[in-house]
């Protein structure tokens, strides 16, 4: 059930302002009544008691909650050691201590605040559920910080991990050791940016409406974020949105990345059979690099319409000899390697041999195990929209849409959610609307023309998901031939340039192409046009 945010906040404000310390449920406001508090809680702090699972003393108040799960938001920060690894270990420890992570914010690299003479921070936030009471949750988070090497030091100074409770269910908490909502949420862009990511533009439940009400603004937390500068802050003012890739942090907003295609298949629609021999494949890899590719996507299984499916062993037999040779050559240094597969075992083998990204045309539907495997591998995951599989994706049922942008956005968001719930943080996900997969010519044109609409539809469910990098791959596809009257796929390269340029102007961050030379030029022109557009918008 989606709530109207303005109505929800308006009805919450009288109750929040009336002096209740610990928040209220708002399930009644759909019946036209003001909500009433369900708890009257004293905030006096009792002496230390032992938290059994930790074996050490913690502060505890007299707060009582139901035994059901409580929805929580926790902020993460790190600027010492391997920051990404610190986040990964903290998330794993949260799960070990019984927390369920349901959503992740994007990842931000930020300049330090308050104490400025220290390394840059990584910041994010997670949304999840727990049965722990607020002060017991605090104790667990402090235990996790200690396990990851945090010691007492200067306030706001360097730390391997910092975990703060931003929200806990419907409650306000004010004790000697814990304040919820966190008292400095309202002044910190590096906290608000990932917090906003965890919300949708629509308020999906009464807990989220309560969080918005704490801001005491008509549009809740969104007004606070806008007052600080909102989305215009990202990329400047000491805060940028990044994606971890190997030992790099990639800011996708700086330029469009070009993904060159290396098919090791006998039956791909465009270049099937051309690179079956190892030497031919390696030579083509060198050509892609020399033409300026940022990423090489290596696929050993055709996903053209009606393609027959290989077994895992058959796919590996094609892939591994080529991959092993590519890894050895100097031209592979600095190039992002992606494996195009929907099999978990192929993904694991490829990453273990040096691949950086897993690109799954099914988004985890053809081999659901791939999601948990990629989560454990700790690499970025490209999830694509497709109905059915390559042998069924172009049948009548799978080509039926009422509103293609809305339905693709909704179905693609479901795949992002599945990836997150399996343990792949949002900051490692790239989304692909699946040009040519379960779409006809009109569908493809509508999607390329309206990528901002796809993002806005996803935004209703998750602001963070709407910010993930988008990949478009129209290269040499049938719909371009239908439009231009070109039967030969290679003759569709000029049409591909037009299609990817349209995608870039609509917000695509990665373009997947066969002809990298043309793709690089299209990306440069598209980026120049975008730069000019942004300058004009600022006047």
């Amino acid at each position: 059930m989606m709530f109207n945010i303005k109505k929800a906040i308006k009805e919450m404000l009288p109750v929040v302002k009336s002096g209740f310390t610990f928040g209220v449920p708002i399930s009644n406001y759909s019946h036209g009544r003001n909500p009433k508090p369900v708890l009257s809680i004293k905030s006096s702090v009792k002496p230390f008691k032992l938290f059994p699972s930790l074996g050490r003393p913690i502060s505890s108040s007299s707060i009582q909650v139901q035994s059901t799960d409580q929805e929580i938001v926790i902020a993460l920060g790190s600027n010492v050691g391997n920051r990404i690894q610190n986040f990964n270990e903290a998330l794993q420890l949260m799960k070990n201590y019984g927390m369920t992570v349901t959503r992740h914010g994007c990842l931000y690299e930020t300049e330090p605040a308050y104490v400025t003479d220290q390394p840059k921070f990584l910041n994010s936030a997670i949304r999840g559920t727990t049965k722990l009471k607020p002060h017991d949750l605090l104790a667990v988070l402090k235990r996790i910080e200690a396990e990851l090497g945090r010691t007492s030091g200067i306030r706001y100074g360097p730390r391997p991990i910092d975990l703060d409770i931003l929200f806990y269910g419907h409650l306000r908490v004010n004790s000697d050791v814990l304040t919820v909502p966190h008292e400095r949420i309202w002044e910190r862009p590096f906290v608000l940016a990932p917090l906003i990511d965890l919300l949708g533009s629509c308020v999906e439940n009464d807990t989220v409406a309560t969080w918005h009400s704490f801001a005491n603004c008509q549009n809740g937390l969104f007004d606070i974020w806008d007052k600080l500068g909102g989305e215009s802050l990202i990329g400047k003012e000491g805060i940028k949105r990044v994606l971890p890739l190997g030992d790099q942090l990639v800011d996708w907003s700086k330029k469009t990345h070009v993904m060159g295609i290396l098919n090791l298949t006998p039956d791909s629609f465009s270049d099937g059979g051309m690179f079956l021999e190892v030497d031919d494949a390696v030579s083509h890899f060198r050509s892609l690099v020399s033409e300026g590719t940022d990423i090489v996507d290596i696929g050993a299984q055709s996903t053209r319409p009606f393609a027959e499916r290989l077994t895992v062993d058959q796919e590996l037999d094609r892939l591994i000899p080529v991959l092993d040779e590519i890894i050895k050559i100097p031209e592979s240094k600095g190039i992002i390697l992606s494996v195009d597969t929907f099999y978990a075992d192929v993904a694991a083998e490829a990453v273990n041999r040096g691949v950086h990204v897993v690109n799954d045309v099914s988004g985890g539907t053809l081999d659901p195990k791939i999601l948990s495997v990629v989560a454990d591998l700790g690499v970025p995951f490209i999830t694509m929209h497709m109905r059915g599989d390559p042998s069924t994706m172009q049948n009548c049922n799978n080509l039926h849409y009422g509103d293609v942008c809305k339905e693709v956005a909704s179905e693609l968001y479901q795949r992002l959610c599945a990836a997150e719930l399996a343990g792949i943080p949002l900051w490692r996900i790239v989304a692909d609307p699946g040009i040519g997969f379960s779409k006809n010519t009109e569908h493809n044109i509508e999607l390329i023309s309206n990528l901002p609409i796809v993002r806005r539809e996803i935004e209703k469910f998750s602001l963070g998901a709407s910010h993930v990098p988008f990949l478009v791959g129209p290269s040499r596809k049938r719909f371009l031939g239908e439009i231009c009257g070109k039967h030969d796929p290679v003759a569709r390269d000029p049409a591909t340039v037009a299609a990817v340029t349209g995608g870039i102007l609509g917000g695509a961050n990665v373009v997947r192409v066969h002809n990298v030379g043309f793709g690089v030029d299209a990306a440069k022109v598209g980026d120049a046009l975008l730069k000019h557009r942004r300058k004009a918008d600022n006047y």
Side-chain angles (χ1 to χ4, degrees):
M1 178 179 181
M2 292 289 188
F3 296 107
N4 179 285
I5 185 167
K6 291 187 178 180
K7 179 182 176 184
I9 300 305
K10 184 177 179 182
E11 294 187 5
M12 282 298 300
L13 283 175
V15 181
V16 174
K17 291 178 178 178
S18 64
F20 295 109
T21 306
F22 283 89
V24 294
I26 57 173
S27 55
N28 286 342
Y29 64 64
S30 60
H31 303 287
R33 300 191 297 270
N34 280 337
K36 297 179 181 179
V38 291
L39 296 173
S40 178
I41 304 169
K42 294 174 66 178
S43 60
S44 58
V45 178
K46 291 182 177 179
F48 283 93
K49 72 175 187 179
L50 193 67
F51 186 69
S53 65
L54 300 184
R56 66 189 185 94
I58 61 165
S59 273
S60 175
S61 73
S62 56
I63 294 175
Q64 298 294 317
V65 296
Q66 296 178 352
S67 60
T68 54
D69 284 336
Q70 298 294 316
E71 194 160 15
I72 56 173
V73 175
I74 296 170
L76 299 88
S78 174
N79 75 335
V80 172
N82 186 326
R83 299 171 297 173
I84 290 293
Q85 187 61 31
N86 293 340
F87 275 21
N88 293 342
E89 291 182 12
L91 291 175
Q92 185 57 55
L93 287 168
M94 287 182 201
K95 294 172 189 175
N96 294 350
Y97 282 117
M99 288 169 251
T100 299
V101 177
T102 56
R103 291 194 190 182
H104 307 76
C106 296
L107 189 67
Y108 297 87
E109 187 171 50
T110 64
E111 297 288 347
Y114 311 115
V115 178
T116 57
D117 185 20
Q118 57 177 319
K120 290 181 180 179
F121 276 84
L122 284 186
N123 293 99
S124 192
I126 61 96
R127 186 168 155 183
T129 58
T130 184
K131 286 185 168 64
L132 294 170
K133 299 175 185 179
H135 287 78
D136 293 341
L137 174 61
L138 174 65
V140 167
L141 296 180
K142 294 302 179 189
R143 175 67 176 268
I144 292 171
E145 290 179 344
E147 288 187 27
L148 295 181
R150 182 170 177 182
T151 57
S152 56
I154 347 173
R155 193 178 188 196
Y156 308 128
R159 71 285 307 269
I161 195 71
D162 188 19
L163 303 172
D164 288 322
I165 304 170
L166 302 185
F167 293 124
Y168 183 98
H170 297 225
L171 301 185
R172 284 187 184 273
V173 180
N174 287 293
S175 74
D176 290 348
V177 294
L178 180 62
T179 301
V180 178
H182 192 280
E183 57 191 337
R184 292 188 178 273
I185 286 179
W186 325 112
E187 66 185 49
R188 295 175 169 177
F190 61 86
V191 174
L192 270 174
L195 169 59
I196 294 296
D197 288 340
L198 301 174
L199 310 174
S201 60
C202 296
V203 180
E204 73 264 33
N205 60 41
D206 59 347
T207 301
V208 173
T210 302
W211 298 344
H212 278 293
S213 75
F214 291 148
N216 289 340
C217 297
Q218 182 180 9
N219 291 303
L221 294 162
F222 298 141
D223 279 351
I224 300 294
W225 177 227
D226 288 342
K227 286 175 185 175
L228 289 179
E231 187 63 21
S232 67
L233 292 177
I234 308 302
K236 54 186 179 182
E237 302 297 331
I239 178 170
K240 62 181 181 179
R241 194 177 283 126
V242 295
L243 183 145
L245 199 50
D247 57 0
Q248 309 173 57
L249 290 173
V250 178
D251 180 353
W252 295 97
S253 69
K254 294 301 182 186
K255 61 166 262 186
T256 300
H257 285 64
V258 175
M259 173 185 276
I261 299 168
L262 175 53
N263 285 322
L264 311 179
T265 55
D267 54 345
S268 290
F269 77 93
S270 171
D271 51 7
M274 293 179 66
F275 310 116
L276 295 179
E277 298 299 323
V278 173
D279 288 347
D280 293 334
V282 173
S283 176
H284 188 56
F285 177 87
R286 286 191 168 104
S287 295
L288 297 175
V289 172
S290 69
E291 290 172 354
T293 196
D294 301 292
I295 309 165
V296 176
D297 192 38
I298 308 171
Q301 172 142 212
S302 176
T303 53
R304 65 174 175 77
F306 313 112
E308 293 185 11
R309 191 182 303 188
L310 298 182
T311 65
V312 169
D313 288 341
Q314 288 172 323
E315 189 172 335
L316 286 171
D317 285 345
R318 288 181 186 172
L319 174 67
I320 296 308
V322 173
L323 180 58
D324 284 349
E325 289 304 309
I326 284 173
I327 294 293
K328 293 176 186 175
I329 64 176
E331 290 89 343
S332 67
K333 305 306 177 188
I335 300 297
I336 300 165
L337 299 179
S338 168
V339 61
D340 181 0
T341 186
F342 48 74
Y343 282 135
D345 291 344
V346 174
E349 188 67 28
V351 170
N352 288 335
R353 290 172 181 265
V355 162
H356 309 102
V357 178
V358 174
N359 180 13
D360 180 0
V361 296
S362 81
T365 60
L366 296 183
D367 183 1
K369 189 174 67 170
I370 198 170
L371 298 179
S372 58
V373 166
V374 172
D376 291 341
L377 292 169
V379 297
F381 182 65
I382 302 172
T383 184
M384 195 190 80
H385 175 269
M386 176 176 66
R387 292 174 172 177
D389 61 34
S391 67
T392 64
M393 64 184 180
Q394 296 302 110
N395 67 28
C396 291
N397 288 338
N398 287 330
L399 288 175
H400 179 72
Y401 296 91
D403 184 318
V404 67
C405 290
K406 287 186 178 181
E407 290 174 50
V408 166
S410 175
E411 293 167 23
L412 184 56
Y413 177 65
Q414 290 173 25
R415 302 318 310 152
L416 266 71
C417 286
E420 281 200 88
L421 288 172
I424 304 173
L426 190 67
W427 61 72
R428 284 206 207 104
I429 297 177
V430 177
D432 180 348
I435 303 300
F437 290 80
S438 314
K439 285 94 179 172
N440 61 27
T441 296
E442 185 60 32
H443 298 147
N444 292 321
I445 292 298
E446 191 165 347
L447 284 167
I448 292 171
S449 302
N450 294 299
L451 287 178
I453 292 176
V454 177
R455 284 195 190 269
R456 284 199 296 272
E457 289 297 318
I458 292 175
E459 181 182 284
K460 293 177 181 178
F461 307 101
S462 165
L463 272 295
S466 75
H467 294 316
V468 301
F470 266 28
L471 180 152
V472 293
S475 186
R476 297 181 179 176
K477 288 185 175 172
R478 181 187 297 273
F479 80 99
L480 297 176
E482 290 177 359
I483 294 170
C484 300
K486 304 289 185 183
H487 178 72
D488 179 5
V490 177
R492 301 169 191 164
D493 281 343
T496 298
V497 169
V500 299
T501 303
I504 291 166
L505 294 179
N509 307 97
V510 185
V511 293
R512 185 176 183 273
V513 294
H514 295 84
N515 189 320
V516 164
F518 284 7
V520 167
D521 286 348
K524 288 176 179 177
V525 172
D527 288 348
L529 292 170
L530 281 176
K531 185 177 180 180
H532 178 78
R533 179 193 290 175
R534 290 176 188 132
K535 282 183 179 178
D537 290 344
N538 289 332
Y539 287 147

